[in-house]
Amino acid sequence: MSLAPLPYSSIFANSKPQAPRSRGPSKPDVPAYKPPETGFISYLPPSWVPYAELMRLDKPVGTYYLFFPCLFSTMMAASYAAVLPAQVLSTSMLFFSGALIMRGAGCTINDLWDRNLDPHVARTRLRPIARGAVTPFQALTFTGVQLLAGLGILVQFPTSCLFYGLPSLLLVATYPLTKRVTHYPQFILGLTFSWGVFMGFPALGVDLLADAAAMKAVAALYASCVSWTVLYDMIYAHMDIQDDARIGIKSIALRHRKETKIVLSGLAVSQVAHLAVAGTAIGLGPAFFLCSCGSATATLGLMIWKVRLSSGGSCWWWFKNGALFTGGGIVSGMLAEYLSILNAQGSESERHRVLQGPSG
């Protein structure tokens, strides 16, 4: 049996996932679907719930992982250009809104491509398209609505951000296919999820093409975030490692199953080293290196040491909480650096005012 997704031209003729033939992989034995009874989406009208599940609104950690590279870049740019707090806050809120929408669109596209695979994986067989709650045509229409909403958010940024943001759509659309052709789809996911790094500086008025230091910082920060994405998604991939092996899906977890923690350690070193290079490129100070780089080193080391890769529950816990441990630690250092720069500027302005004396 071929498990490759049908071409989009056949979506209109196939409103529900095809049942596997008798010789294909059997569906995993998991409980039947139950509507959510807790959380935000449990309060939604029943007809809305499948679309909220398509967006993974019940699992916001993916939105956090997509948002953090945008926030890292914004905070670095704020320190570099000494931007006022109100602009930093409004820009960050726009990025979070965009991350929420585009993560939902990416998940919907992923489920469309995987609609013939998801029924054979325990963790994914009850997703809306896989269980028949949303047809492929409905999901495709919903994707268009989300992409339009994302465009509406993108045009709120400076015009230059359009040129940095639009190319990411190619990665969003093609990432789900890479797990069929390479053992390193997590690398493509890293390129996709880290793309927001290119947006923070231009969003605050810094022209990357005219500022070599800013461009160097962005390039290093992008490499850092790609390393981080591959690291946490390698842990996540261990949750499906048995099902992936059974149905022929490729992943870095399968390719490096016997040396996973060695690979994770190398990725952690790459993340922290490139983060430090980014800070050096734009002259950040001790608060950044001690808090951001130091906390990243500590939290990544703890996660790699503690995670039990043979336990799906352990992998999920560290994947879910690692976003806040590592991402939150990095942001706290960037915030401390930004506040120290604002404080130094305020002190300098006050000094000049005193030296000049009263006017008139």
Side-chain angles (χ1 to χ4, degrees):
M1 166 188 170
S2 172
L3 294 176
L6 300 173
Y8 272 100
S9 60
S10 68
I11 286 178
F12 302 93
N14 294 274
S15 62
K16 292 186 178 181
Q18 294 182 337
R21 300 170 186 167
S22 57
R23 290 188 180 182
S26 59
K27 291 183 179 180
D29 184 16
V30 297
Y33 173 78
K34 291 178 61 177
E37 298 176 350
T38 60
F40 165 72
I41 66 173
S42 66
Y43 296 98
L44 297 177
S47 60
W48 293 17
V49 169
Y51 295 96
E53 291 174 332
L54 270 179
M55 294 182 69
R56 311 289 198 270
L57 293 183
D58 53 334
K59 297 176 180 177
V61 63
T63 299
Y64 305 154
Y65 275 123
L66 186 58
F67 172 58
F68 271 126
C70 305
L71 186 58
F72 295 163
S73 183
T74 301
M75 293 306 301
M76 277 195 164
S79 294
Y80 183 60
V83 178
L84 293 176
Q87 187 179 359
V88 176
L89 180 60
S90 62
T91 299
S92 299
M93 291 176 65
L94 275 176
F95 274 130
F96 184 80
S97 299
L100 179 66
I101 295 298
M102 291 309 297
R103 189 258 181 149
C107 288
T108 308
I109 292 170
N110 180 81
D111 289 2
L112 276 167
W113 282 119
D114 288 353
R115 66 191 180 276
N116 294 328
L117 296 175
D118 283 346
H120 307 290
V121 178
R123 185 178 56 82
T124 62
R125 71 175 298 262
L126 295 180
R127 285 177 174 173
I129 299 175
R131 70 174 190 267
V134 175
T135 67
F137 176 68
Q138 290 170 331
L140 188 60
T141 302
F142 186 50
T143 300
V145 171
Q146 292 176 91
L147 291 177
L148 284 175
L151 179 61
I153 293 172
L154 182 59
V155 297
Q156 305 304 310
F157 289 97
T159 305
S160 60
C161 288
L162 282 169
F163 301 104
Y164 291 104
L166 290 177
S168 67
L169 293 177
L170 179 62
L171 290 170
V172 171
T174 57
Y175 156 69
L177 298 178
T178 59
K179 68 186 76 173
R180 294 163 172 82
V181 298
T182 176
H183 280 100
Y184 301 97
Q186 284 74 23
F187 177 70
I188 307 302
L189 181 68
L191 297 178
T192 307
F193 263 54
S194 304
W195 197 267
V197 164
F198 294 107
M199 303 281 287
F201 279 77
L204 294 184
V206 179
D207 185 354
L208 293 178
L209 298 180
D211 193 319
M215 179 62 83
K216 182 178 179 181
V218 165
L221 185 59
Y222 187 57
S224 176
C225 290
V226 170
S227 300
W228 188 33
T229 305
V230 178
L231 188 158
Y232 66 67
D233 205 59
M234 187 176 189
I235 293 174
Y236 186 75
H238 271 269
M239 295 171 59
D240 298 330
I241 200 166
Q242 301 297 336
D243 287 330
D244 287 349
R246 177 170 55 84
I247 64 178
I249 290 297
K250 297 178 173 65
S251 77
I252 191 174
L254 276 171
R255 180 65 178 84
H256 297 284
R257 189 172 188 173
K258 295 182 179 179
E259 60 270 3
T260 292
K261 292 209 172 184
I262 296 175
V263 176
L264 293 176
S265 298
L267 290 167
V269 170
S270 175
Q271 180 190 353
V272 176
H274 283 101
L275 183 63
V277 169
T280 302
I282 56 174
L284 297 186
F288 168 78
F289 291 100
L290 290 174
C291 298
S292 293
C293 298
S295 67
T297 301
T299 56
L300 291 173
L302 181 65
M303 178 170 65
I304 294 169
W305 176 39
K306 287 287 190 179
V307 66
R308 290 179 289 113
L309 298 171
S310 60
S311 167
S314 178
C315 289
W316 170 248
W317 193 93
W318 283 102
F319 173 81
K320 179 177 65 174
N321 292 287
L324 300 180
F325 292 162
T326 303
I330 292 173
V331 170
S332 67
M334 292 179 170
L335 179 60
E337 180 68 23
Y338 172 63
L339 293 177
S340 70
I341 290 173
L342 289 184
N343 182 64
Q345 286 186 333
S347 299
E348 184 67 16
S349 297
E350 178 65 16
R351 189 177 71 85
H352 279 296
R353 187 187 68 81
V354 171
L355 290 175
Q356 289 174 356
S359 60

